[in-house]
């Protein structure tokens, strides 16, 4: 085998591995990030579920925390499946390279053996000195000497090539073993997560059955919640109306300041910090099916974020506190103005700001209220004048 052919094999080996790994590494990095995020969501949901279960009775809050755990574990299993698939591809590529190197090593050894045999036949009964000094001219003598040197170099090079390919082959075989061990670890993790997921789904089914028996109680809670949201809507609409009227009397400078604040807020779409440090969206914006009652739709004007007991509520963006009030069914309410945008924080146990206060991003507003069933949930809304917006489209992805 020529040196050019060996270099070609090694080049393609390196290209497949480095190129493949560069692509796989990026994807693996993304999958590792997804796994970390899902594990964090699982830990959050477990803690929140533990808080709600301390009341020893089935609640919608428990079911939502359980659903969040199930969703996060399904995401984790999906990431593991994709990573296992990536390793399958990497192992396949490595096996192709191992096979190619095995074939090349076999050919190198065959060529080297043929070279040694030819050398033996040429030297048997005919010494190199005889070969040199039987030359008819000095130029022929020099050419024969050069030939012998090249032949010797070729044998040495062939031996080096065999050694290099052998080392490369050992390295690739070792890499295959490492990848297979890594794959087995992921398969074990996947199996363990699948068992946990089945247990959670069994628990979910039992909880739904238990809650279904409380249909009258759930419908009563739903009606009370709707009344509370309706009252809150009227309160917000009246405040917004007054603020719009007030803006008509502003000086050109004050109006320009509010317009700048509106623009700044608008640029934060999908980037706003969350009002609580940890937690998950337990009830989404708009019309959503009730998690237990069949055929019943819940219309949410904002989002509910289920979190830990005594969680601190922070401002998602700089602005001015225009309302601090108590709304029946929603507890303490704080509304912050950001130009023509408004954010609302309800179900607060304590409030740490006053009407007229200027707040910055992440400034403390209050603490979340925990209801009698042990559920700690903040109600969060985003408005643009009279239009209600989906808060999840404004908060940074979790």
């Amino acid at each position: 085998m020529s040196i050019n052919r060996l270099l070609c094999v090694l080049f393609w080996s390196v290209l497949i591995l480095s190129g493949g790994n560069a692509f796989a590494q990026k994807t693996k990095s993304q999958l590792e990030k997804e796994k970390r995020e899902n594990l964090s969501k699982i830990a959050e949901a477990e803690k929140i579920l533990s808080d709600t279960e301390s009341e020893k009775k089935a609640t919608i809050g428990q079911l939502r925390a359980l659903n969040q755990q199930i969703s996060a574990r399904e995401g984790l299993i999906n990431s593991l499946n994709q990573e296992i698939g990536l390793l399958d591809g990497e192992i396949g590529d490595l096996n192709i390279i191992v096979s190619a190197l095995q074939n090349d090593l076999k050919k190198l050894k065959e060529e080297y053996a043929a070279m040694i045999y030819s050398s033996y036949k040429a030297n048997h009964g005919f010494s190199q000195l005889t070969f040199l000094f039987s030359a008819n001219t000095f130029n022929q003598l020099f050419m024969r000497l050069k030939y012998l040197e090249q032949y010797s170099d070729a044998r040495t090079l062939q031996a080096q090539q065999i050694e290099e390919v052998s080392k490369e082959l050992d390295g690739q075989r070792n890499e295959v073993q490492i990848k297979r061990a890594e794959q087995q670890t992921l398969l074990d993790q996947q199996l363990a997560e699948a068992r946990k997921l089945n247990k959670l789904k069994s628990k979910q089914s039992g909880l739904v059955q238990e809650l279904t028996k409380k249909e009258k109680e759930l419908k009563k809670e739903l009606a009370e919640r709707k009344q509370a949201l309706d009252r809150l809507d009227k309160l917000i609409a009246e405040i917004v109306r007054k603020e719009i009227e007030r803006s008509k009397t502003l000086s050109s400078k004050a109006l320009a300041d509010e317009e700048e604040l509106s623009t700044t807020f608008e640029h934060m779409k999908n980037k706003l910090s969350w009002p609580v440090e940890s937690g998950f969206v337990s009830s989404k914006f708009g019309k959503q099916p009730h998690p237990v009652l069949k055929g019943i739709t819940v219309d949410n004007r904002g989002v509910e974020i289920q979190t830990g007991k005594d969680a601190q509520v922070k401002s998602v963006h700089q602005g001015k506190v225009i309302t601090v009030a108590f709304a029946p069914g929603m507890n303490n309410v704080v509304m912050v103005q950001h130009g023509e945008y408004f954010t609302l924080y309800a179900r607060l146990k304590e409030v740490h700001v006053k009407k007229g206060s200027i707040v910055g991003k992440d400034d403390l507003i209050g603490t979340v209220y925990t209801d009698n069933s042990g559920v700690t949930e903040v109600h969060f809304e985003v408005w643009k004048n009279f239009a209600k917006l989906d808060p999840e489209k404004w908060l940074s992805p979790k």
Side-chain angles (χ1 to χ4, degrees):
M1 181 180 187
S2 69
I3 185 64
N4 288 337
R5 185 177 173 188
L6 175 66
L7 289 173
C8 186
V9 170
L10 293 177
F11 169 76
W12 282 107
S13 300
V14 171
L15 183 64
I16 291 171
L17 285 177
S18 63
N21 282 345
F23 174 76
Q25 189 61 41
K26 181 183 177 184
T27 310
K28 276 185 180 179
S29 176
Q30 290 172 343
L31 291 172
E32 285 294 334
K33 185 185 176 190
E34 284 179 16
K35 285 198 294 185
R36 286 194 301 271
E37 287 172 351
N38 281 315
L39 286 169
S40 175
K41 288 177 183 178
I42 289 168
E44 280 184 356
E46 282 177 344
K47 185 178 183 306
I48 292 167
L49 181 61
S50 176
D51 289 343
T52 58
E53 285 179 334
S54 64
E55 295 298 321
K56 306 297 182 186
K57 64 178 182 178
T59 64
I60 294 293
Q62 280 184 34
L63 181 60
R64 284 171 173 161
L66 200 54
N67 289 343
Q68 174 69 3
Q69 272 202 69
I70 288 170
S71 175
R73 286 204 183 276
E74 286 174 340
L76 180 59
I77 289 170
N78 183 53
S79 295
L80 289 168
N81 283 337
Q82 290 183 57
E83 199 164 350
I84 288 166
L86 281 176
L87 284 170
D88 276 338
E90 289 181 13
I91 290 169
D93 288 343
L94 286 167
N95 282 332
I96 290 170
I97 294 168
V98 166
S99 179
L101 287 168
Q102 284 174 332
N103 290 334
D104 288 334
L105 185 60
K106 181 181 177 184
K107 289 177 183 177
L108 279 169
K109 286 181 176 179
E110 287 173 354
E111 290 173 6
Y112 186 70
M115 190 181 292
I116 295 296
Y117 180 68
S118 297
S119 177
Y120 169 77
K121 284 184 68 177
N123 289 327
H124 189 65
F126 189 72
S127 69
Q128 290 185 7
L129 285 174
T130 304
F131 175 65
L132 287 173
F133 290 111
S134 63
N136 295 323
T137 64
F138 179 78
N139 188 51
Q140 191 180 54
L141 173 67
F142 178 78
M143 293 299 293
R144 289 185 178 188
L145 181 62
K146 200 70 179 170
Y147 168 77
L148 289 174
E149 286 177 357
Q150 289 175 349
Y151 192 76
S152 176
D153 289 344
R155 284 175 56 183
T156 303
L157 181 59
Q158 196 82 351
Q160 288 174 352
Q161 288 175 350
I162 289 171
E163 186 179 356
E164 287 171 10
V165 173
S166 296
K167 285 181 180 177
E168 182 68 21
L169 181 58
D170 289 341
Q172 297 303 331
R173 282 173 174 162
N174 186 52
E175 187 71 16
V176 170
Q177 290 177 350
I178 291 170
K179 295 291 181 187
R180 288 198 183 281
E182 188 180 345
Q183 188 182 50
Q184 188 58 52
T185 300
L186 289 173
L187 286 167
D188 292 341
Q189 286 179 21
Q190 182 193 46
L191 189 61
E193 290 301 327
R195 290 196 193 103
K196 290 176 184 176
L197 181 61
N198 286 335
K199 285 182 181 178
L200 286 173
K201 286 187 174 180
S202 176
K203 189 174 181 180
Q204 178 195 47
S205 178
L207 188 56
V208 168
Q209 287 178 8
E210 194 174 344
L211 285 167
T212 304
K213 296 174 185 176
K214 301 180 177 182
E215 185 175 345
K216 287 184 180 179
E217 186 181 329
L218 292 175
K219 284 184 176 179
K220 182 184 176 184
E221 287 177 3
L222 199 57
E224 289 174 351
R225 180 181 180 280
K226 186 178 182 304
Q227 288 178 356
L229 285 171
D230 286 342
R231 286 192 294 265
L232 187 61
D233 266 4
K234 288 179 182 177
L235 174 66
I236 296 169
E238 181 59 22
I239 293 167
V240 171
R241 185 189 64 77
K242 287 179 179 178
E243 287 302 317
I244 290 174
E245 287 298 319
R246 183 189 63 82
S247 67
K248 292 176 182 177
T249 64
L250 292 175
S251 66
S252 56
K253 183 182 182 305
L255 193 60
D257 289 342
E258 288 211 354
E259 286 175 354
E260 184 180 350
L261 192 56
S262 297
T263 303
T264 304
F265 189 89
E266 202 162 76
H267 287 159
M268 291 303 292
K269 189 170 184 179
N270 204 40
K271 298 176 187 174
L272 290 176
S273 58
W274 280 56
V276 285
E277 190 69 30
S278 65
F280 61 92
V281 173
S282 51
S283 182
K284 291 181 175 291
F285 174 79
K287 293 183 178 180
Q288 308 292 331
H290 192 277
V292 176
L293 301 173
K294 292 181 179 179
I296 301 292
T297 301
V298 179
D299 188 9
N300 201 357
R301 291 83 188 270
V303 293
E304 315 300 330
I305 302 174
Q306 205 166 327
T307 184
K309 193 174 181 181
D310 294 325
Q312 293 186 333
V313 179
K314 299 177 181 180
S315 173
V316 298
H317 193 65
Q318 67 191 63
K320 180 183 178 182
V321 177
I322 56 170
T323 299
V324 175
F326 183 86
M330 300 303 286
N331 282 72
N332 292 306
V333 176
V334 173
M335 194 168 177
V336 180
Q337 183 179 16
H338 318 273
E340 62 181 345
Y341 289 91
F342 303 87
T343 54
L344 178 128
Y345 313 79
R347 290 208 180 101
L348 304 181
K349 178 175 72 173
E350 296 171 348
V351 175
H352 299 286
V353 292
K354 295 178 180 179
K355 183 178 178 180
S357 301
I358 302 300
V359 293
K361 176 182 173 293
D362 294 333
D363 278 358
L364 181 63
I365 285 177
T367 55
V368 189
Y369 171 74
T370 301
D371 66 20
N372 294 331
S373 62
V375 177
T376 306
E377 205 168 50
V378 62
H379 179 79
F380 178 66
E381 297 186 17
V382 178
W383 290 55
K384 182 179 182 182
N385 290 328
F386 292 107
K388 293 184 281 286
L389 307 176
D390 183 353
E392 278 196 271
K393 292 181 178 178
W394 289 83
L395 296 173
S396 59
K398 248 192 164 186

